[in-house]
Amino acid sequence: MLTLSAYLVAIVIGMKATASAEVHLATGDSINEQRNAGVSLDTAAAQLRITREWASKLAWLSRTFPAADREEIGAENLARLRITHLEAIAGQQEHLRVPLLIAAVEERLSVRDLRRRAAGLRGSRPMADQATDTVERSGGPDAMQSTERALTRYARMPKDQLLRIYTGKSGPHIAGVIRAAHQLEARITQEGCESLSVLPHDGSPV
C-alpha cells in the first residue's frame, strides 16, 4: 500500500489529478486513520495540502471500497483505474461494485461507459424487488445470489489472485461460508428434503 508521504510527493510533482485509484484509496485510509485518532478533517486536509472537500471525498471512497474489495479487484487493476471510476459506481449495490470495476479494466471502459452500465444495472431491478424487509435482505434470494456469485468468481480466479485473497482478510469468511454450506447440506439430507436442480446464472440446465 502506498504511504501518505508518497501521496504528498505525487501532489508536489503535479500528479494529483492523474493518480491511480490505489493512491487515492491509500490516502483515504490515512485520512480515516487520522479522524479515528481525533484529528479533524480540516487538519488532515491541511497536512495533505488538499481542500477539505477533496479530503472528505477520499475518506468516503476509502470506506466505500474496504480492503476485502480491493484484494478482490487486485492491485494491478486498481493501478489502472482512476478516482472517477470509483465515483462512477460508488452508489451501486455493494455486490456489483467489484465486478463493475474489474470489467472497467478488462474491457477498457471509459468513465462514461462505466456510468451507463452501472445505471443500466440499477434501473433494471423493479422497485418492488427493492422494498424487501430485513429478513429478506439478510437471507433471501438476493443475498444467496450475491454469495453464489462471489464464490463463483473466486473459483474462476487465477491461482495467484485466489491465494492472495484466501490468505488475506477475506479468507476466514470464505472458509466460514464453505463450512456453513456443508452444514446446511447435511441438515437438508437429514430432513429428507429432495435435492433441487441447480441452474447456472444463464438459466440453462447443468
Side-chain angles (χ1 to χ4, degrees):
M1 178 178 291
L2 294 174
T3 63
L4 185 59
S5 60
Y7 184 77
L8 284 171
V9 171
I11 293 176
V12 172
I13 62 177
M15 293 177 58
K16 189 181 83 170
T18 58
S20 70
E22 182 184 24
V23 171
H24 288 306
L25 289 173
T27 306
D29 292 342
S30 298
I31 294 171
N32 285 326
E33 288 175 4
Q34 292 186 66
R35 295 299 307 281
N36 292 336
V39 177
S40 70
L41 183 61
D42 289 328
T43 299
Q47 292 174 348
L48 288 168
R49 304 176 193 174
I50 59 179
T51 65
R52 187 181 192 280
E53 291 73 20
W54 188 261
S56 178
K57 177 187 293 186
L58 296 181
W60 165 61
L61 289 172
S62 168
R63 295 190 299 270
T64 302
F65 298 94
D69 287 352
R70 298 179 213 176
E71 288 179 3
E72 189 172 349
I73 295 167
E76 292 184 4
N77 287 338
L78 284 173
R80 296 169 62 184
L81 293 168
R82 296 288 177 260
I83 190 172
T84 46
H85 288 103
L86 302 180
E87 293 178 281
I89 54 93
Q92 187 58 263
Q93 296 173 25
E94 184 176 355
H95 70 277
L96 294 177
R97 292 173 193 158
V98 170
L100 280 169
L101 288 178
I102 293 176
V105 175
E106 294 179 345
E107 301 176 31
R108 299 183 180 181
L109 298 178
S110 66
V111 173
R112 177 181 297 180
D113 289 339
L114 182 59
R115 285 198 180 102
R116 287 175 179 171
R117 181 170 298 187
L121 290 173
R122 187 163 50 242
S124 65
R125 187 181 178 195
M127 291 299 294
D129 291 344
Q130 299 180 35
T132 54
D133 58 22
T134 302
V135 175
E136 179 69 11
R137 287 198 300 270
S138 64
D142 287 342
M144 296 299 98
Q145 289 174 4
S146 176
T147 302
E148 181 187 355
R149 279 192 293 265
L151 294 182
T152 299
R153 287 200 306 272
Y154 293 147
R156 294 174 178 173
M157 282 179 179
K159 180 179 178 180
D160 58 343
Q161 186 177 358
L162 174 61
L163 292 179
R164 183 172 63 250
I165 292 176
Y166 192 68
T167 57
K169 294 182 178 179
S170 298
H173 301 292
I174 296 173
V177 170
I178 295 172
R179 181 170 58 252
H182 286 314
Q183 292 173 347
L184 179 58
E185 181 182 28
R187 175 65 189 280
I188 290 173
T189 301
Q190 177 184 347
E191 298 298 338
C193 297
E194 294 184 5
S195 298
L196 297 176
S197 59
V198 179
L199 298 177
H201 292 305
D202 60 6
S204 59
V206 175

